[in-house]
Short mmCIF file of all heavy atoms in Angstrom, two decimals:
data_model
loop_
_atom_site.label_atom_id
_atom_site.label_comp_id
_atom_site.label_asym_id
_atom_site.label_seq_id
_atom_site.Cartn_x
_atom_site.Cartn_y
_atom_site.Cartn_z
N ILE A 67 -16.14 -19.27 10.34
CA ILE A 67 -17.10 -18.22 10.01
C ILE A 67 -17.21 -17.31 11.23
O ILE A 67 -17.44 -17.80 12.35
CB ILE A 67 -18.44 -18.84 9.64
CG1 ILE A 67 -18.29 -19.59 8.29
CG2 ILE A 67 -19.52 -17.70 9.50
CD1 ILE A 67 -19.54 -20.25 7.78
N TYR A 68 -17.08 -16.00 11.07
CA TYR A 68 -17.16 -15.05 12.13
C TYR A 68 -18.52 -14.42 12.14
O TYR A 68 -19.14 -14.22 13.17
CB TYR A 68 -16.09 -14.00 11.94
CG TYR A 68 -16.06 -12.89 12.98
CD1 TYR A 68 -15.44 -13.13 14.24
CD2 TYR A 68 -16.60 -11.66 12.76
CE1 TYR A 68 -15.35 -12.14 15.17
CE2 TYR A 68 -16.53 -10.66 13.73
CZ TYR A 68 -15.94 -10.92 14.96
OH TYR A 68 -15.87 -9.92 15.88
N ASP A 69 -19.10 -14.25 10.95
CA ASP A 69 -20.43 -13.66 10.83
C ASP A 69 -20.95 -13.85 9.39
O ASP A 69 -20.13 -13.96 8.49
CB ASP A 69 -20.40 -12.13 11.13
CG ASP A 69 -21.63 -11.73 11.94
OD1 ASP A 69 -22.68 -12.46 11.87
OD2 ASP A 69 -21.57 -10.72 12.63
N VAL A 70 -22.30 -13.92 9.27
CA VAL A 70 -22.82 -14.13 7.95
C VAL A 70 -23.96 -13.15 7.75
O VAL A 70 -24.78 -12.91 8.64
CB VAL A 70 -23.45 -15.59 7.74
CG1 VAL A 70 -23.99 -15.77 6.36
CG2 VAL A 70 -22.43 -16.60 8.11
N PHE A 71 -24.08 -12.55 6.57
CA PHE A 71 -25.10 -11.59 6.25
C PHE A 71 -25.78 -12.02 4.97
O PHE A 71 -25.13 -12.18 3.95
CB PHE A 71 -24.51 -10.19 6.10
CG PHE A 71 -23.76 -9.71 7.31
CD1 PHE A 71 -22.46 -10.12 7.53
CD2 PHE A 71 -24.42 -9.03 8.26
CE1 PHE A 71 -21.80 -9.72 8.68
CE2 PHE A 71 -23.76 -8.58 9.42
CZ PHE A 71 -22.44 -8.95 9.62
N GLU A 72 -27.11 -12.19 5.04
CA GLU A 72 -27.80 -12.66 3.83
C GLU A 72 -28.66 -11.48 3.34
O GLU A 72 -29.46 -10.88 4.11
CB GLU A 72 -28.64 -13.87 4.15
CG GLU A 72 -27.67 -15.00 4.67
CD GLU A 72 -28.35 -16.34 4.80
OE1 GLU A 72 -29.26 -16.70 4.04
OE2 GLU A 72 -27.84 -17.09 5.72
N SER A 73 -28.52 -11.15 2.08
CA SER A 73 -29.31 -10.01 1.51
C SER A 73 -30.75 -10.34 1.42
O SER A 73 -31.13 -11.48 1.07
CB SER A 73 -28.73 -9.69 0.11
OG SER A 73 -29.59 -8.75 -0.53
N LYS A 74 -31.61 -9.37 1.68
CA LYS A 74 -33.03 -9.53 1.48
C LYS A 74 -33.43 -9.17 0.09
O LYS A 74 -34.53 -9.48 -0.37
CB LYS A 74 -33.79 -8.75 2.52
CG LYS A 74 -33.62 -9.27 3.91
CD LYS A 74 -34.38 -8.45 4.97
CE LYS A 74 -34.01 -8.96 6.36
NZ LYS A 74 -32.64 -8.66 6.76
N GLU A 75 -32.55 -8.41 -0.62
CA GLU A 75 -32.85 -7.93 -1.94
C GLU A 75 -32.63 -9.05 -3.03
O GLU A 75 -33.36 -9.14 -3.98
CB GLU A 75 -31.94 -6.76 -2.29
CG GLU A 75 -32.28 -5.52 -1.47
CD GLU A 75 -31.21 -4.42 -1.69
OE1 GLU A 75 -30.25 -4.65 -2.47
OE2 GLU A 75 -31.35 -3.42 -1.05
N ASP A 76 -31.54 -9.78 -2.80
CA ASP A 76 -31.25 -10.86 -3.76
C ASP A 76 -30.66 -11.99 -2.93
O ASP A 76 -30.73 -11.97 -1.73
CB ASP A 76 -30.28 -10.39 -4.89
CG ASP A 76 -29.09 -9.64 -4.33
OD1 ASP A 76 -28.50 -10.12 -3.37
OD2 ASP A 76 -28.79 -8.55 -4.80
N GLU A 77 -30.00 -12.99 -3.60
CA GLU A 77 -29.52 -14.14 -2.83
C GLU A 77 -28.06 -13.96 -2.48
O GLU A 77 -27.40 -14.99 -2.22
CB GLU A 77 -29.80 -15.40 -3.53
CG GLU A 77 -31.30 -15.73 -3.48
CD GLU A 77 -31.57 -17.06 -4.16
OE1 GLU A 77 -31.21 -18.08 -3.67
OE2 GLU A 77 -32.22 -16.97 -5.28
N THR A 78 -27.57 -12.71 -2.46
CA THR A 78 -26.15 -12.47 -2.09
C THR A 78 -25.90 -12.78 -0.60
O THR A 78 -26.71 -12.38 0.21
CB THR A 78 -25.78 -11.04 -2.42
OG1 THR A 78 -26.09 -10.79 -3.79
CG2 THR A 78 -24.36 -10.69 -2.12
N VAL A 79 -24.82 -13.44 -0.36
CA VAL A 79 -24.42 -13.76 1.09
C VAL A 79 -23.05 -13.28 1.26
O VAL A 79 -22.13 -13.59 0.52
CB VAL A 79 -24.53 -15.27 1.38
CG1 VAL A 79 -24.23 -15.54 2.86
CG2 VAL A 79 -25.92 -15.80 1.01
N LYS A 80 -22.86 -12.54 2.36
CA LYS A 80 -21.53 -12.07 2.68
C LYS A 80 -21.00 -12.75 3.95
O LYS A 80 -21.74 -12.86 4.89
CB LYS A 80 -21.60 -10.57 2.90
CG LYS A 80 -20.24 -9.97 3.24
CD LYS A 80 -19.92 -8.82 2.33
CE LYS A 80 -18.49 -8.46 2.41
NZ LYS A 80 -18.15 -7.36 1.55
N PHE A 81 -19.73 -13.19 3.87
CA PHE A 81 -19.13 -13.84 5.04
C PHE A 81 -18.03 -13.03 5.60
O PHE A 81 -17.25 -12.44 4.85
CB PHE A 81 -18.52 -15.20 4.59
CG PHE A 81 -19.52 -16.22 4.18
CD1 PHE A 81 -20.00 -16.33 2.89
CD2 PHE A 81 -20.04 -17.06 5.12
CE1 PHE A 81 -20.93 -17.27 2.54
CE2 PHE A 81 -21.00 -18.09 4.82
CZ PHE A 81 -21.44 -18.14 3.50
N LEU A 82 -17.92 -12.96 6.94
CA LEU A 82 -16.68 -12.49 7.54
C LEU A 82 -16.03 -13.77 8.12
O LEU A 82 -16.72 -14.52 8.78
CB LEU A 82 -17.01 -11.53 8.70
CG LEU A 82 -17.47 -10.09 8.29
CD1 LEU A 82 -17.71 -9.23 9.53
CD2 LEU A 82 -16.45 -9.39 7.41
N PHE A 83 -14.73 -13.97 7.77
CA PHE A 83 -14.06 -15.16 8.23
C PHE A 83 -12.95 -14.79 9.21
O PHE A 83 -12.31 -13.78 9.06
CB PHE A 83 -13.40 -15.88 7.10
CG PHE A 83 -14.39 -16.54 6.14
CD1 PHE A 83 -14.44 -16.14 4.83
CD2 PHE A 83 -15.22 -17.52 6.55
CE1 PHE A 83 -15.32 -16.69 3.92
CE2 PHE A 83 -16.12 -18.14 5.67
CZ PHE A 83 -16.19 -17.71 4.35
N LEU A 84 -12.86 -15.60 10.28
CA LEU A 84 -11.83 -15.38 11.30
C LEU A 84 -10.66 -16.33 10.98
O LEU A 84 -10.76 -17.54 10.88
CB LEU A 84 -12.40 -15.77 12.66
CG LEU A 84 -11.47 -15.63 13.85
CD1 LEU A 84 -11.07 -14.17 14.06
CD2 LEU A 84 -12.18 -16.17 15.09
N LEU A 85 -9.47 -15.70 10.87
CA LEU A 85 -8.22 -16.50 10.57
C LEU A 85 -7.69 -16.90 11.89
O LEU A 85 -7.97 -16.37 12.94
CB LEU A 85 -7.24 -15.69 9.80
CG LEU A 85 -7.79 -14.97 8.51
CD1 LEU A 85 -6.68 -14.16 7.86
CD2 LEU A 85 -8.33 -16.03 7.55
N ASN A 86 -6.71 -17.92 11.86
CA ASN A 86 -6.14 -18.43 13.09
C ASN A 86 -5.40 -17.41 13.91
O ASN A 86 -5.23 -17.56 15.10
CB ASN A 86 -5.25 -19.62 12.77
CG ASN A 86 -6.12 -20.88 12.57
OD1 ASN A 86 -7.11 -21.02 13.26
ND2 ASN A 86 -5.76 -21.65 11.59
N ASP A 87 -4.87 -16.35 13.26
CA ASP A 87 -4.15 -15.31 14.03
C ASP A 87 -5.05 -14.18 14.44
O ASP A 87 -4.52 -13.17 14.91
CB ASP A 87 -2.93 -14.84 13.21
CG ASP A 87 -3.43 -14.07 11.94
OD1 ASP A 87 -4.66 -14.04 11.69
OD2 ASP A 87 -2.56 -13.58 11.24
N GLY A 88 -6.37 -14.36 14.31
CA GLY A 88 -7.28 -13.32 14.79
C GLY A 88 -7.70 -12.32 13.80
O GLY A 88 -8.59 -11.46 13.98
N ASN A 89 -7.01 -12.28 12.59
CA ASN A 89 -7.44 -11.35 11.54
C ASN A 89 -8.75 -11.76 10.92
O ASN A 89 -9.12 -12.96 11.00
CB ASN A 89 -6.36 -11.34 10.40
CG ASN A 89 -5.19 -10.35 10.74
OD1 ASN A 89 -5.47 -9.23 11.02
ND2 ASN A 89 -4.00 -10.94 10.75
#
Side-chain angles (χ1 to χ4, degrees):
I67 292 178
Y68 181 79
D69 220 335
V70 184
F71 301 83
E72 302 189 31
S73 170
K74 291 180 187 69
E75 292 170 1
D76 47 49
E77 288 181 69
T78 302
V79 182
K80 180 128 195 178
F81 292 90
L82 287 180
F83 292 118
L84 178 65
L85 309 179
N86 280 322
D87 64 357
N89 276 305

